[in-house]
Amino acid sequence: MEITLQPEDNARLANLCGALDENIKQIETALEVNINRRGSTFNISGKTDNMRMAAQMIEYFYVRAKKPLELEDIQLGLVEVDKLKPEDVNSSMPVLMTRRGDLHGRTPRQVEYLQQIQDHDV
């Protein structure tokens, strides 16, 4: 499976990958896939479901890579996704209207709570 991150931003790619690609290696280890990168193109191999999850995680972290991502950020993100049911990962998460645009529910319970609030406000 191949994904290309757009728009290509070398600073964000550096933030995403980490020093010596340690963040990418963490995703590889957690999801049992192989990831090769050339520029903003990532080639992912492994089990089909794991490849899809790795692609989603790379895209997820790329959006948040405006500042350097620490190894702990990657590990926490992997734990969050592991706790969500597969149908939750593909569903749209509620959007919080705050000064910080990167806030989101971290656990299934938090996502459910935010969804209830959003449904109540609509």
Side-chain angles (χ1 to χ4, degrees), residues 88 91-98 103-105 109-122:
D88 291 340
S91 67
S92 61
M93 296 267 188
V95 177
L96 298 175
M97 303 305 283
T98 65
L103 294 178
H104 61 281
R109 196 82 164 125
Q110 289 175 351
V111 171
E112 179 184 336
Y113 175 76
L114 293 172
Q115 188 64 50
Q116 288 174 352
I117 291 174
Q118 186 179 27
D119 291 344
H120 185 278
D121 290 341
V122 173

Side-chain angles (χ1 to χ4, degrees), residues 17 19-30 35:
C17 296
L20 302 173
D21 286 344
E22 66 181 11
N23 294 343
I24 298 301
K25 289 176 187 172
Q26 187 70 32
I27 295 170
E28 280 182 316
T29 302
I35 303 172

Side-chain angles (χ1 to χ4, degrees), residues 29-81:
T29 302
L31 298 176
E32 299 176 355
V33 296
N34 291 317
I35 303 172
N36 295 309
R37 178 181 72 89
R38 181 174 290 267
S40 64
T41 301
F42 291 77
N43 287 306
I44 306 167
S45 59
K47 292 182 180 178
T48 304
D49 289 341
N50 292 3
M51 289 187 326
R52 284 190 197 120
M53 184 63 69
Q56 288 177 343
M57 294 306 299
I58 290 169
E59 291 170 345
Y60 170 83
F61 289 124
Y62 186 68
V63 169
R64 285 154 182 75
K66 293 176 184 168
K67 60 183 174 90
L69 297 174
E70 300 295 326
L71 194 56
E72 292 80 25
D73 297 326
I74 302 298
Q75 291 171 342
L76 180 59
L78 290 166
V79 168
E80 290 173 12
V81 167

